[in-house]
Each structure stands twice: as C-alpha cells, then as structure tokens.
Amino acid sequence: MSLPEIFVSYRRDDTGGYARALFDHLSERFPDRVFLDWEGIEVGENFIAKLESIGKSCRVLLALIGKNWLTATDAAGNQRIAQPADFVHQEIATALQRNIPVIPVLFQGVTIPGQGDLPDSLKSLTARNAVSITDANYQSDLERLTRGIEAILGENQ
C-alpha cells in the first residue's frame, strides 16, 4: 500500500474535533490517501518514524490552525510552535522545506499568524494561501478546500 498523499497536521487540544471531521470528509473523496495520526498509526508502531515517513512523502500538508495553535505552551510554559521538537512545528517545517503545497486551514475565526509570531523555519507559512472553515459556510468552505486539493493532485473534476 502506498503512503498517504494528504497530511493533516493539527493540535489535539486546539482543532482535534475539526481534524477528525475533515479527515472523514476528505477520506470519502480520497480513500486511503489522507493521513491523520488517530487513523494512520497502529498500536505499538513507532509514531515518530511514521510521522517522519509520511511528512517526507506526502504531496500536500493541511496545517489546521485554531484559536490556541499559536499560544499553546508545554509543561514548562514555553510556546510549543517555537520549539523545534514540537511535532506540529516539525510537520510544517518539513513540508515547507520540501516546498510542497502547505494549506493553512483556519478555524474559529482566526487569521494566519504574522511572520513575527513564527520561528524562522515556519515564516514562509504566512505566504501560503489559506482556507477558512466557518460554521456559517461549512459545506462550501469544505468544498473549496477539496477542490484545491484536487487541483494540487491533478484530479480536477
């Protein structure tokens, strides 16, 4: 079986429910081609190696950003996104370094963070065209995102 082409990067405590709903939606259109850690990592499997493997081979990364994505802190009170060992930081930085499409998917009315809010390895995220998913336009927003992914994968219908 080939590796998934669409990587959903998110923080469980920020956009976990949205990630699950988005995974379910995208999996209908792209069966077995969407990676979400809840579904894509088997019990006992080395999750770090799996994240790295998918991150190095996917064709598009969706960076789900909610109200607490930027301000989330670790147990010591350090901003998580600023830490190179943070999984979300690593996932996005790897995709940006590979220069594959990275789509910021904005929830809860947030806007894309400013360059000054991000570490150097993530600053180019601010130049990526984002998609906002709103409650009021949920279905049409999801369809816009899906059409964008289809275009990236060369599957316009």
Side-chain angles (χ1 to χ4, degrees):
M1 183 173 161
S2 62
L3 293 172
E5 298 173 281
I6 304 162
F7 190 117
V8 179
S9 174
Y10 70 102
R11 292 199 184 286
R12 286 187 182 184
D13 56 355
D14 183 44
T15 53
Y18 293 112
R20 182 59 197 207
L22 184 59
F23 172 81
D24 290 344
H25 172 81
L26 292 175
S27 291
E28 287 181 23
R29 170 59 185 91
F30 307 101
D32 301 318
R33 296 166 64 193
V34 183
F35 176 78
L36 180 72
D37 61 351
W38 287 342
E39 296 293 327
I41 302 175
E42 299 297 328
V43 173
E45 187 173 10
N46 182 326
F47 70 90
I48 295 171
K50 183 72 170 209
L51 289 173
E52 288 175 354
S53 174
I54 302 298
K56 290 178 180 176
S57 65
C58 66
R59 293 180 57 198
V60 61
L61 181 131
L62 308 179
L64 278 54
I65 301 174
K67 287 184 179 179
N68 299 315
W69 183 87
L70 186 62
T71 59
T73 57
D74 62 18
N78 300 308
Q79 183 186 29
R80 289 171 62 187
I81 200 65
Q83 305 303 313
D86 176 63
F87 291 120
V88 171
H89 179 130
Q90 290 177 3
E91 293 161 2
I92 297 170
T94 297
L96 291 170
Q97 287 171 345
R98 291 182 54 222
N99 200 30
I100 64 168
V102 175
I103 304 171
V105 183
L106 310 174
F107 293 94
Q108 305 163 318
V110 302
T111 57
I112 195 82
Q115 278 197 354
D117 296 323
L118 297 171
D120 289 343
S121 58
L122 301 180
K123 286 187 186 301
S124 66
L125 180 66
T126 65
R128 303 295 176 122
N129 194 18
V131 173
S132 292
I133 306 289
T134 63
D135 293 340
N137 298 309
Y138 185 76
Q139 278 307 120
S140 61
D141 293 340
L142 281 180
E143 285 309 310
R144 178 175 178 243
L145 176 61
T146 302
R147 284 190 311 273
I149 295 169
E150 288 172 344
I152 289 166
L153 299 178
E155 300 176 12
N156 287 2
Q157 293 186 348

